[in-house]
Amino acid sequence: MKIDLTDTTAGEINKALVQGRRAIGTPAVGMVLTLVIVTDEENAYDALKAANDASREHPSRTLVVIKRISRTPRDRTSSRLDAEVRVGAEAGTGETVILRLYGEVSQHADSVVLPLLLPDAPVVVWWPVNAPLDPAKDPLGALAQRRVTDTYAAEEPVRELTARADAYTPGDTDLSWTRITPWRSMLAAALDQVDCRVQAVEVEGEAFNPSCELLAMWLADRLDVPVRRSPSAGPGLTGVRMDTTCGPITLDRADGSLATLSIKGQPARAVALKRRDTAELIAEELRRLDPDDTYASALRYGVDRLNAVPEQEASAPDSGSDSGSAPDSGSASTPASDSASASPDGAQPASAEAAKAPAKKATSSRAAKKAPSRKASAK
């Protein structure tokens, strides 16, 4: 059921929602959150379709905010709010309100959205495109517990990651981070199957793809090893190679659908690692509304620190080359410390640890000889 309202108010929209629910015979409200989508006319259809598909898992009230550009000075001085109310099958399992703001009211979208929020329910704001540099300080972002952006849609995605790190506030997240969830799970499971240390990592994927950078930063942050970022023809992420003391571990996905996991001493296995659509990504983000500390840690690691090789002492154990040399993609040429979950007693002398990035606490060489190395795993 659709109800069109022209030059209306938030009060009239709320009345139309009640009228629509009564007309289809479902007066009870069973929605769990309010999803606010801030977009333009060009991207509104795709964003709304993804939200409706995700609402089958998370019934919600979806508010689509579209700020219309006034073409003449006279139009800029006038304000108008048009709305389209959708209930029933056309709104998924929840309710949808499309808000088109004209004139000065477009600068005060939060005052229009606030009366339409579900009472005592969390609020999520999603910018499919043209997200603000600091979502938490945006008037609409300030209403939300969770703020979803997508750096892949930015003009300069990799540079956008640096801006996101500088302005990060608990509750911020990125669909480019959500896209690598299966990769992180698969790599963590692969490391759980071996008892060795990771020495170097290479991440291969499309150039200017922020998901590739985020995966590389996550691995560098968690494993504390040099990570090389290599470009490929895509699509998206195409492979990860981890050089360990037990041999290489590789996860290759050439076609964007099926990947091959190879661990030395074990048969190669085919694993499903398809590229997911936007509806699946949004549904995953709506499953948890608490701050994502793992994303924050990886984001703050910094793109500029990738490809850096920490200096090593020539006498360090398991050394395969001179200190400071870059790791080759086919073999581990420099030793690295254990992962973030490894025992701190296995750390190297303080003179070598002080040069590492990121730095960790140094322990005595006597303790390093006594304590055995634990299994490296990605948290």
Side-chain angles (χ1 to χ4, degrees):
M1 180 178 180
K2 291 184 181 180
I3 301 175
D4 291 325
L5 302 173
T6 303
D7 196 8
T8 186
T9 63
E12 294 296 327
I13 295 173
N14 272 319
K15 291 179 181 178
L17 287 169
V18 175
Q19 176 186 346
R21 287 198 299 267
R22 290 176 177 173
I24 63 175
T26 56
V29 178
M31 291 164 285
V32 298
L33 59 90
T34 303
L35 176 62
V36 182
I37 304 174
V38 186
T39 183
D40 51 22
E41 289 285 2
E42 181 181 358
N43 298 278
Y45 175 82
D46 292 335
L48 185 56
K49 184 178 184 302
N52 286 342
D53 292 341
S55 72
R56 304 186 188 282
E57 181 178 343
H58 309 278
S60 59
R61 174 177 290 180
T62 303
L63 306 178
V64 184
V65 178
I66 302 175
K67 299 179 181 180
R68 300 297 298 267
I69 300 176
S70 301
R71 300 184 179 276
T72 64
R74 179 179 298 175
D75 292 338
R76 297 189 189 101
T77 59
S78 61
S79 297
R80 192 175 90 237
L81 170 63
D82 293 345
E84 181 181 332
V85 178
R86 300 179 183 180
V87 293
E90 296 183 1
T93 58
E95 300 171 341
T96 298
V97 180
I98 302 176
L99 304 168
R100 290 182 172 87
L101 285 64
Y102 300 81
E104 292 183 359
V105 72
S106 63
Q107 305 300 321
H108 306 280
D110 54 317
S111 63
V112 177
V113 169
L114 187 59
L116 302 177
L117 301 179
L118 288 173
D120 301 324
V123 179
V124 178
V125 178
W126 172 33
W127 291 269
V129 292
N130 302 324
L133 289 178
D134 192 346
K137 292 184 178 179
D138 183 84
L140 286 173
L143 301 175
Q145 287 78 36
R146 192 79 162 172
R147 295 165 292 275
V148 184
T149 58
D150 191 356
T151 52
Y152 188 78
E155 186 175 350
E156 296 182 347
V158 178
R159 182 177 295 182
E160 191 84 0
L161 288 176
T162 303
R164 291 277 176 264
D166 295 337
Y168 175 80
T169 302
D172 293 352
T173 190
D174 191 340
L175 292 186
S176 295
W177 170 257
T178 315
R179 291 184 180 97
I180 64 174
T181 299
W183 284 83
R184 295 190 293 121
S185 300
M186 196 63 63
L187 292 172
L191 287 175
D192 283 341
Q193 302 177 38
V194 296
D195 186 10
C196 55
R197 290 185 303 166
V198 179
Q199 295 179 310
V201 180
E202 180 181 7
V203 177
E204 187 180 73
E206 284 179 327
F208 311 110
N209 189 319
S211 294
C212 302
E213 265 71 24
L214 282 169
L215 181 62
M217 290 190 290
W218 173 71
L219 288 168
D221 178 56
R222 289 297 174 180
L223 298 177
D224 191 18
V225 296
V227 177
R228 169 184 289 181
R229 170 72 170 88
S230 301
S232 71
L237 271 163
T238 54
V240 175
R241 178 188 176 93
M242 296 185 290
D243 293 322
T244 72
T245 55
C246 303
I249 298 175
T250 59
L251 182 61
D252 291 321
R253 186 188 69 177
D255 59 356
S257 177
L258 192 65
T260 302
L261 176 63
S262 302
I263 302 176
K264 187 175 181 180
Q266 301 181 18
R269 285 162 285 182
V271 294
L273 208 61
K274 73 180 184 70
R275 305 189 74 191
R276 298 180 295 169
D277 58 24
T278 306
E280 294 179 85
L281 301 177
I282 286 296
E284 178 182 327
E285 283 299 332
L286 296 181
R287 291 186 195 123
R288 54 172 297 175
L289 301 179
D290 56 318
D292 192 341
D293 296 332
T294 306
Y295 165 69
S297 180
L299 186 65
R300 287 170 174 163
Y301 181 85
V303 179
D304 54 342
R305 296 175 64 183
L306 295 178
N307 303 320
V309 181
E311 297 180 2
Q312 301 287 334
E313 289 187 351
S315 59
D318 300 327
S319 177
S321 64
D322 296 336
S323 65
S325 61
D328 183 73
S329 60
S331 62
S333 58
T334 57
S337 65
D338 293 347
S339 69
S341 63
S343 170
D345 294 338
Q348 295 180 3
S351 58
E353 289 293 324
K356 282 193 173 185
K360 288 190 174 181
K361 294 183 180 179
T363 57
S364 65
S365 58
R366 180 180 302 175
K369 295 179 180 179
K370 291 183 179 181
S373 300
R374 292 187 181 178
K375 184 185 303 181
S377 62
K379 292 183 180 178

